[in-house]
Amino acid sequence: MKPVVILVCPQMCENVGMAARAMMNCGLDEMRLVNPRENHLDDKAVAASSGAERILQQAKVFSSTAEAVADLNLLYASTARRRNMVKTVETAQAAAHEIVEKAAQGVRSGILFGPERTGLHNDDVALADKIIEIPLNPEHCSLNLSQAVLLVSYEWYKTQVNVPEVQMVTNNGVLASKEKLYHFFDFLESKLKDCRAFQDDEKRPKMLINLHNIFLRGELTEQELNTLYGIVTYLSSH
Amino acid sequence: MKPVVILVCPQMCENVGMAARAMMNCGLDEMRLVNPRENHLDDKAVAASSGAERILQQAKVFSSTAEAVADLNLLYASTARRRNMVKTVETAQAAAHEIVEKAAQGVRSGILFGPERTGLHNDDVALADKIIEIPLNPEHCSLNLSQAVLLVSYEWYKTQVNVPEVQMVTNNGVLASKEKLYHFFDFLESKLKDCRAFQDDEKRPKMLINLHNIFLRGELTEQELNTLYGIVTYLSSH
């Protein structure tokens, strides 16, 4: 059960289109609009959605926020300004995790985003259970509408995927075994000897260690090792 | 030491302006431009930067990526497409943490972002130590330039602040003590008794427990408790 994105009184249809694009970037589908000022199916909106036209076409329009969220169970208001209200404030990340946990219990969530110039009206914030406050530079925390939608959607999407934080991408290449790597080290050393690189015997062990480390850090593939063999052969034969 | 944002051959100056806005939202300062197609100080760019004009004014322009990153120690390429390259790929979050850890050792980092339509050229990706791949819907992972800058900058900013994930914001209000809360429960119970709400004595304990739980979940402030006293008094006197 994915959260619903509700844009309250959005002013410019391009921003609605860009919000749809941001939603699709993050795997969200359902947009609802409360009294949009412009037609969200205008060419400008469709162009700005950059392929997320389906979200715009399926977006339902409501004449009040209360109607737009009537079927939802848990409602967040995304706002940058602190209101004079007693309410729970969560980061986008915390809210994303909560939305996912609650969804597992059948709870349907929605997130309100206000109009570009003013943000959500207090009456709309008051309709929500909780406030989402995206951690941003306090001296410049006003986000473009679609960027606010993007950050909240992005935090939700991150809970849905299990991407390795760091990975070595070798495409079809295979990392070289240590045997093959050490064999290359021996080859390199013998070629260096041939070229009389080790005139200073004292420095030789240190130099070899440095060379080993340079190539070990590289996590070389078999193909790259072959490239290195070629280079050394080429260099040493001239 | 904050990371430097390098926009390679950006096409539209509005996007450069919006990228500056996203950087300022996330506390980043230094933008560099490699062969921008349009003037980044154009009115359209300044308007799009929405207050981040300083970043545009201080942005340096270079005629090659190599020159633009010459003084940096660690370079990331932000790209959505997998390249046929053997390279370490990191999420924006992992890269952000790495940038911060390395900065503590005096390592200066930069992040390359490519032109809107095509993304980074392979030659520019090859100049970078590592690739940043933002986890996004694989069927729709093309981000607007400024949104890519926003997500990477946002992950960096998150490492810089220590915002509580969830907090109850009471403004100047003080959470009511348990004594005051239980006193209100007694008051409510006595008023309900006066109104003969407990005609069914069997249901009474359960009803009171439910009422207690409703108000306990609310984490009421002293001021809110006073409001509730007022409401109950008003209701019971009519």
Side-chain angles (χ1 to χ4, degrees):
Chain A
M1 212 151 34
K2 302 177 179 181
V4 175
V5 168
I6 304 123
L7 306 185
V8 181
C9 307
Q11 300 174 273
M12 293 172 66
C13 65
E14 289 97 328
N15 286 331
V16 177
M18 284 176 72
R21 178 181 184 177
M23 285 173 62
M24 189 166 259
N25 284 144
C26 301
L28 293 184
D29 311 311
E30 190 173 347
M31 173 187 270
R32 300 182 187 177
L33 300 165
V34 180
N35 293 327
R37 198 181 64 183
E38 298 182 346
N39 178 7
H40 64 287
L41 295 172
D42 186 281
D43 287 348
K44 284 186 290 182
V46 172
S49 80
S50 187
E53 197 173 340
R54 186 172 49 78
I55 291 180
L56 293 177
Q57 283 162 348
Q58 295 177 352
K60 288 198 193 101
V61 177
F62 297 84
S63 58
S64 76
T65 305
E67 284 173 76
V69 305
D71 60 323
L72 303 178
N73 309 111
L74 180 59
L75 188 62
Y76 297 85
S78 170
T79 161
R81 279 185 295 124
R82 279 285 162 96
R83 316 297 176 120
N84 191 22
M85 285 192 209
V86 180
K87 239 180 173 68
T88 302
V89 174
E90 303 189 356
T91 62
Q93 182 177 313
H97 282 97
E98 189 173 56
I99 287 169
V100 174
E101 283 159 25
K102 296 279 187 184
Q105 301 162 25
V107 172
R108 191 126 203 259
S109 298
I111 308 150
L112 298 175
F113 294 88
E116 292 89 330
R117 216 160 46 82
T118 56
L120 284 169
H121 193 281
N122 274 345
D123 290 347
D124 286 325
V125 176
L127 288 176
D129 298 287
K130 301 181 178 196
I131 286 174
I132 295 180
E133 203 175 82
I134 302 168
L136 291 172
N137 178 2
E139 283 157 35
H140 196 86
C141 60
S142 149
L143 278 178
N144 169 281
L145 173 59
S146 69
Q147 300 210 318
V149 171
L150 176 69
L151 290 180
V152 174
S153 305
Y154 167 71
E155 289 288 7
W156 178 81
Y157 187 72
K158 283 211 294 180
T159 68
Q160 300 298 299
V161 286
N162 194 5
V163 180
E165 289 286 290
V166 179
Q167 58 181 317
M168 176 73 168
V169 174
T170 57
N171 301 303
N172 295 323
V174 182
L175 282 190
S177 67
K178 287 290 169 276
E179 184 185 19
K180 285 180 178 159
L181 196 63
Y182 299 160
H183 187 271
F184 169 72
F185 290 166
D186 292 340
F187 171 76
L188 179 61
E189 188 179 343
S190 76
K191 287 293 177 192
L192 286 169
K193 235 184 246 167
D194 294 348
C195 302
R196 285 183 249 170
F198 300 124
Q199 295 194 341
D200 185 345
D201 265 354
E202 266 180 50
K203 289 186 182 161
R204 179 175 161 179
K206 179 71 182 152
M207 184 177 173
L208 287 173
I209 286 173
N210 286 349
L211 279 174
H212 293 184
N213 282 332
I214 288 170
F215 291 115
L216 277 162
R217 277 208 308 277
E219 298 181 70
L220 300 172
T221 64
E222 292 191 353
Q223 199 189 357
E224 289 172 330
L225 215 49
N226 288 336
T227 305
L228 290 176
Y229 271 112
I231 286 175
V232 173
T233 304
Y234 183 80
L235 288 172
S236 61
S237 65
H238 278 74
Chain B
M1 210 150 37
K2 301 177 180 182
V4 175
V5 168
I6 305 122
L7 306 185
V8 182
C9 307
Q11 300 175 273
M12 294 171 67
C13 66
E14 289 97 329
N15 286 332
V16 177
M18 284 175 72
R21 177 181 184 178
M23 286 173 63
M24 190 165 259
N25 284 144
C26 300
L28 293 184
D29 311 311
E30 191 172 346
M31 173 187 270
R32 299 181 186 178
L33 300 166
V34 180
N35 293 326
R37 199 180 63 184
E38 298 180 345
N39 178 7
H40 63 289
L41 296 173
D42 187 280
D43 287 348
K44 283 186 291 181
V46 172
S49 80
S50 188
E53 197 173 341
R54 186 173 49 80
I55 291 179
L56 293 177
Q57 283 162 347
Q58 295 176 352
K60 288 199 193 98
V61 178
F62 297 84
S63 59
S64 76
T65 304
E67 286 174 75
V69 304
D71 60 322
L72 304 178
N73 309 111
L74 180 58
L75 187 62
Y76 297 85
S78 170
T79 161
R81 279 185 296 121
R82 279 284 163 96
R83 316 297 176 119
N84 192 22
M85 286 191 208
V86 180
K87 236 178 174 70
T88 303
V89 174
E90 304 189 357
T91 62
Q93 181 177 315
H97 282 98
E98 190 173 56
I99 286 169
V100 174
E101 282 160 24
K102 297 280 187 181
Q105 300 162 27
V107 171
R108 192 127 202 259
S109 298
I111 308 149
L112 298 174
F113 294 87
E116 292 88 328
R117 214 161 49 80
T118 57
L120 283 169
H121 193 279
N122 274 345
D123 290 347
D124 286 325
V125 176
L127 288 176
D129 298 288
K130 302 181 177 195
I131 287 173
I132 295 180
E133 203 175 81
I134 302 167
L136 291 171
N137 178 2
E139 283 156 34
H140 196 85
C141 59
S142 150
L143 278 178
N144 169 281
L145 173 59
S146 70
Q147 300 209 317
V149 171
L150 176 69
L151 289 180
V152 173
S153 305
Y154 167 71
E155 288 288 7
W156 179 82
Y157 187 73
K158 284 211 293 180
T159 68
Q160 302 297 298
V161 286
N162 195 5
V163 180
E165 289 287 290
V166 178
Q167 57 180 317
M168 177 74 168
V169 173
T170 57
N171 301 302
N172 295 322
V174 181
L175 282 189
S177 68
K178 288 290 168 275
E179 184 185 19
K180 285 181 178 156
L181 197 63
Y182 299 161
H183 188 272
F184 169 72
F185 290 166
D186 292 341
F187 171 76
L188 179 61
E189 187 179 345
S190 75
K191 287 293 177 192
L192 286 169
K193 234 186 249 166
D194 294 348
C195 304
R196 286 184 245 171
F198 300 124
Q199 296 194 340
D200 185 344
D201 265 353
E202 266 181 49
K203 288 185 183 163
R204 179 174 162 180
K206 179 73 183 149
M207 184 177 173
L208 286 174
I209 286 174
N210 285 348
L211 280 174
H212 293 182
N213 283 331
I214 288 170
F215 291 115
L216 277 161
R217 276 207 308 277
E219 298 181 70
L220 301 172
T221 63
E222 293 190 352
Q223 198 190 357
E224 289 172 331
L225 215 50
N226 288 336
T227 305
L228 288 175
Y229 271 110
I231 285 175
V232 173
T233 305
Y234 183 82
L235 288 172
S236 61
S237 66
H238 281 73

